[in-house]
Every structure is written in structure tokens, then in C-alpha cells.
């Protein structure tokens, strides 16, 4: 079959890791008889440099015209240290989410036995942890009204959620849980925030429709603690945008495999698949970054195209590369470290 894939490599290590995922997808194409046609487009700091816009219309068009989008990373230190910058790379990401209606960010967190020693947690706590954080991605405080008072001595951000927004992400979480271990944890701050009380109200209604799924409610501060203490107790965690931003980062490091974790953002239009680790500017251009999270994002992408066997083949070859210790410096430890490009080539050749 023929597929149109939008490729938004972005900033930092984005281009080099995306290149490896493309090698692997091409190997999938050759093996299973598919044709992936890639269209590259600009996003992030590089898009600002070249067009003044972090998510140019031309890029949006490429996304709209694609069957799926593979995304690298965005962000550049020259903007991080300049709070006065008028245009920021992150606006490209938020703009893309809004325009594509990507209301759900799905981050599976799994452990890799050979990497457990990298976890900041005790091995017995984290071993076997297997959860998914589902983050609402187009509402809440990241998209509410914000501003600065005229005399510049105060600033505000607003968190707004509608019943409809809450309902659709909850349903997605329940569907996910139905295919997994049938537990949903709804995370909010209902003891303080009105928007959280609405979340809980809606969840208490929706919960009744999914009788085979166990629901529990957890305040976000408590959830941050429990994630560290008992990561194994979670199956599907669903929460609003900012809580999800924070908790999904927390969840991603506990397994010791940050460089291996993929994500999917899904919604109204084309879905976007990206590694969770960000642009890692210190490593950009050095051919040392771990490409596995992007390769595993490509596996999620394949799955979204209903190419299930193909996705599994990608996961399998990733596991074999780890077993064979064909890995980048972040996981190599004292053994030989392979370059980003060498890992990509090995994966493609051994798929
Ligand atoms: C993420 C990122 C973004 C977010 C930033 C870059 C705006 O941290 O995808 O989690 O917070 O949404
Ligand atoms: Mg984040």
C-alpha cells in the first residue's frame, strides 16, 4: 500500500533521529511491500528562522494532506533564555495541536528489563510497570486567556474546560483501558479548582457507562507521589493539559528509558507521532542521540495505519538491538557506544 507521511523533524536532535526512523520505515516498506512517501516540512525554531512562523501554513497543509505525521522535536536555547521573544518555537507545537485538533496525547510507559538499572527508583518498585498517561492536549491553561496588567506588575493565565472536551478525552481513556488492564485513574485538583470539579463531575457520569472498568480519582499532588512509590498500580491515567504535561514527564523517567519512550497525539485531523524527550540541543549534530524513541514512535504510527504486524516487527528489532547492545551512549554504560546513525542502520538491516 501507499502512504503519505509528513515529516516534521524540527530542531536540535530532531533531524538526526527522524532520519533513523525513516530508515526503519523504509525497511518496513521493503519487507512488507509498502510505499511510504515522505513530505518534509518546517516546524519550531528552524521554521522561525526561515519563515518567521513556528508552524507555517505550508506545514499545516502538509500535515492535513498526510496519512500520519512523524515529528522530531522543537526548541532552541536561544529562545529559552529570552522571555521577551515575541515568537517562540513552542507556539508552533501548540498551534499545530490546536489546528489539527490533537486533543489527546498518549504516552505509554513501559520498562525494558535490561535498562532497569538506569531507573532512579529501586528496581523492585519499577520492574513490570506498564502504564499509559493520557493527557488532554488542546484545552486548559495552555490555551486559556492570558496576559499582563498594564503596569506590568501582574500576569495571569486561565484554565477553562468544557464538558465536551472533558468527555471526549475520558472516553478515549476508557477505550484504551478496555484494551489493557481495565483501570482508569482520573487525576485532578478537585479540592481547589472549579475546572477540576467539572472534570470529576463528568468522569463520575461517564464512569457508569464503562462497567467493566475500575475507576479511581486522585488529586494531582498525590498522583505525583504515588507514581514514584507504586508505579505498578497504574494502568491508564487521564488528566488535563498541564497536570498531564508534568506527570507524563515524571512517568517517563521512572523506567530509566526516557530515550525509548514514544508518544502519539490524536484527534480531529492527522495524528502526530513523536518521541517524548525533546530537542536535546547539547547533542545536536553530534550523532550521539538515542533514536529509539523516534523509531518506536514510528511503530505507533504504523499501528495507527492498521499495519499491526509491521509495528510489531519494529518493536521486535528495537528489542533485539538492545539485547545485542547496539545502543547509543545513554544506555551503553561501560560497553561500546554506537552512533545514532549506526543504530538506525542496524535496525533497518536487521528488521
Ligand atoms: C510537551 C512539551 C510541550 C508542552 C512544550 C514544548 C510546549 O513539553 O510536549 O510536553 O509542554 O506541551
Ligand atoms: Mg512537556
Amino acid at each position: 500500500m501507499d502512504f503519505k507521511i509528513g515529516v516534521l523533524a524540527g530542531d536540535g536532535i530532531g533531524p538526526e533521529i527522524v532520519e533513523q526512523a525513516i530508515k526503519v520505515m523504509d525497511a518496513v516498506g521493503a519487507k512488507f511491500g509498502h510505499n511510504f512517501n515522505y513530505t518534509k516540512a518546517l516546524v519550531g525554531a528552524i521554521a522561525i528562522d526561515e519563515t518567521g512562523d513556528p508552524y507555517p501554513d505550508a506545514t499545516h497543509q502538509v500535515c492535513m494532506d498526510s496519512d500520519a505525521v512523524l515529528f522530531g522535536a522543537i526548541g532552541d536555547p536561544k529562545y529559552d533564555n529570552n522571555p521577551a521573544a515575541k515568537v517562540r518555537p513552542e507556539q508552533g507545537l501548540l498551534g499545530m495541536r490546536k489546528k489539527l485538533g490533537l486533543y489527546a496525547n498518549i504516552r505509554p510507559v513501559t520498562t525494558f528489563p535490561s535498562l532497569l538499572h538506569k531507573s532512579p527508583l529501586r528496581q523492585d518498585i519499577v520492574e513490570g510497570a506498564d502504564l499509559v498517561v493520557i493527557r488532554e492536549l488542546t484545552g486548559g491553561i495552555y490555551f486559556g486567556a492570558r496576559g499582563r496588567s498594564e503596569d506590568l506588575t501582574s500576569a495571569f493565565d486561565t484554565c477553562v474546560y468544557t464538558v465536551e472536551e472533558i468527555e471526549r478525552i475520558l472516553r478515549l481513556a476508557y477505550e484504551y483501558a478496555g484494551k489493557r488492564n481495565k483501570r482508569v485513574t482520573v487525576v485532578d485538583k478537585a479540592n481547589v479548582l472549579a475546572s477540576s470539579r467539572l472534570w470529576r463531575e463528568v468522569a463520575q457520569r461517564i464512569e457508569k457507562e464503562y462497567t467493566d472498568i475500575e475507576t479511581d480519582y486522585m488529586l494531582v499532588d498525590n498522583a505525583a507521589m504515588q507514581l514514584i512509590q507504586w508505579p505498578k498500580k497504574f494502568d491508564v491515567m487521564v488528566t488535563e493539559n498541564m497536570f498531564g504535561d508534568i506527570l507524563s514527564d515524571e512517568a517517563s523517567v521512572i523506567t530509566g528509558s526516557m530515550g525509548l519512550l514514544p508518544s502519539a497525539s490524536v484527534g480531529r485531523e492527522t495524528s502526530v507521532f513523536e518521541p517524548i524527550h525533546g530537542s536535546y540541543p547539547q547533542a545536536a549534530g553530534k550523532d550521539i542521540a538515542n533514536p529509539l524513541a523516534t523509531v518506536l514512535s514510528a511503530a505507533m504510527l504504523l499501528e495507527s495505519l492498521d499495519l499491526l504486524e509491521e509495528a510489531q516487527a519494529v518493536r521486535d528489532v528495537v528489542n533485539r538491538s538492545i539485547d545485542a547492545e547496539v545502543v547509543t551512549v545513554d544506555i551503553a554504560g561501560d560497553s561500546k557506544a554506537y552512533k545514532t546513525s549506526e543504530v538506525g542502520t542496524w535496525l533497518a538491516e536487521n528488521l
Side-chain angles (χ1 to χ4, degrees):
M1 288 224 289
D2 278 19
F3 296 98
K4 288 192 267 183
I5 309 296
V7 177
L8 277 53
D11 305 321
I13 57 171
E16 49 205 287
I17 51 177
V18 161
E19 195 184 316
Q20 312 316 315
I22 288 179
K23 282 185 197 168
V24 176
M25 287 189 50
D26 283 340
V28 167
K31 182 173 169 137
F32 292 88
H34 305 300
N35 216 339
F36 298 109
N37 298 304
Y38 308 101
T39 308
K40 293 189 176 167
L42 295 169
V43 72
I46 180 155
I48 300 178
D49 292 346
E50 295 196 18
T51 72
D53 182 345
Y55 183 61
D57 289 344
T59 301
H60 181 59
Q61 204 49 53
V62 168
C63 293
M64 292 297 288
D65 292 341
S66 301
D67 296 311
V69 171
L70 185 64
F71 192 98
I74 60 144
D76 190 301
K78 75 180 177 211
Y79 294 96
D80 294 341
N81 301 324
N82 176 12
K86 289 245 163 1
V87 198
R88 319 183 65 80
E90 289 76 10
Q91 289 164 346
L93 192 55
L94 297 176
M96 179 183 78
R97 289 171 181 168
K98 199 69 177 178
K99 284 193 180 161
L100 293 175
L102 301 171
Y103 64 81
N105 181 235
I106 300 158
R107 287 188 176 191
V109 176
T110 42
T111 51
F112 291 80
S114 56
L115 299 181
L116 280 178
H117 66 281
K118 292 258 169 196
S119 171
L121 300 182
R122 249 180 22 232
Q123 207 154 318
D124 61 298
I125 292 181
V126 75
E127 196 164 22
D130 179 8
L131 64 123
V132 182
V133 180
I134 297 187
R135 163 187 176 192
E136 201 292 325
L137 205 56
T138 51
I141 198 164
Y142 291 7
F143 289 94
R146 65 171 62 97
R148 191 90 180 250
S149 65
E150 236 163 74
D151 66 359
L152 304 181
T153 58
S154 69
F156 68 96
D157 300 277
T158 335
C159 181
V160 181
Y161 269 107
T162 65
V163 169
E164 193 215 330
E165 285 172 323
I166 301 168
E167 211 175 300
R168 72 180 172 191
I169 188 88
L170 286 171
R171 287 194 188 284
L172 190 134
Y174 277 96
E175 299 298 332
Y176 249 79
K179 290 185 236 147
R180 294 175 43 95
N181 295 318
K182 305 200 162 29
R183 276 180 292 127
V184 168
T185 306
V186 181
V187 176
D188 60 31
K189 188 72 185 173
N191 55 348
V192 178
L193 302 176
S195 54
S196 279
R197 281 196 281 275
L198 183 62
W199 268 74
R200 203 170 276 214
E201 197 180 295
V202 174
Q204 283 170 342
R205 171 164 57 82
I206 302 287
E207 165 190 6
K208 298 197 181 80
E209 294 175 33
Y210 297 88
T211 46
D212 58 329
I213 291 170
E214 194 188 310
T215 304
D216 69 324
Y217 296 88
M218 211 178 268
L219 298 173
V220 61
D221 42 357
N222 185 22
M225 260 172 11
Q226 298 216 23
L227 201 48
I228 295 288
Q229 288 180 301
W230 299 290
K232 281 183 255 193
K233 78 188 259 182
F234 295 101
D235 178 24
V236 172
M237 189 186 255
V238 59
T239 189
E240 63 95 53
N241 204 341
M242 183 161 69
F243 298 159
D245 186 18
I246 297 166
L247 290 177
S248 60
D249 268 21
E250 184 190 353
S252 70
V253 292
I254 61 182
T255 63
S257 359
M258 167 89 145
L260 273 73
L261 299 182
S263 81
S265 298
V266 308
R268 223 177 42 231
E269 313 288 348
T270 320
S271 300
V272 175
F273 299 84
E274 63 177 302
I276 63 147
H277 50 55
S279 61
Y280 191 14
Q282 304 83 344
K286 294 193 180 144
D287 205 15
I288 57 169
N290 189 342
L292 294 184
T294 317
V295 172
L296 291 168
S297 300
M300 287 183 93
L301 180 157
L302 294 170
E303 218 165 46
S304 78
L305 300 174
D306 265 328
L307 304 177
L308 304 185
E309 203 187 325
E310 291 82 342
Q312 195 51 47
V314 173
R315 292 197 182 99
D316 288 344
V317 77
V318 165
N319 286 333
R320 274 185 279 128
S321 75
I322 296 170
D323 290 342
E325 297 187 357
V326 182
V327 292
T328 42
V329 61
D330 54 308
I331 32 187
D334 296 331
S335 40
K336 171 179 179 230
Y338 286 75
K339 297 279 181 200
T340 309
S341 54
E342 292 170 336
V343 173
T345 301
W346 192 95
L347 294 170
E349 283 172 358
N350 288 276
L351 187 111

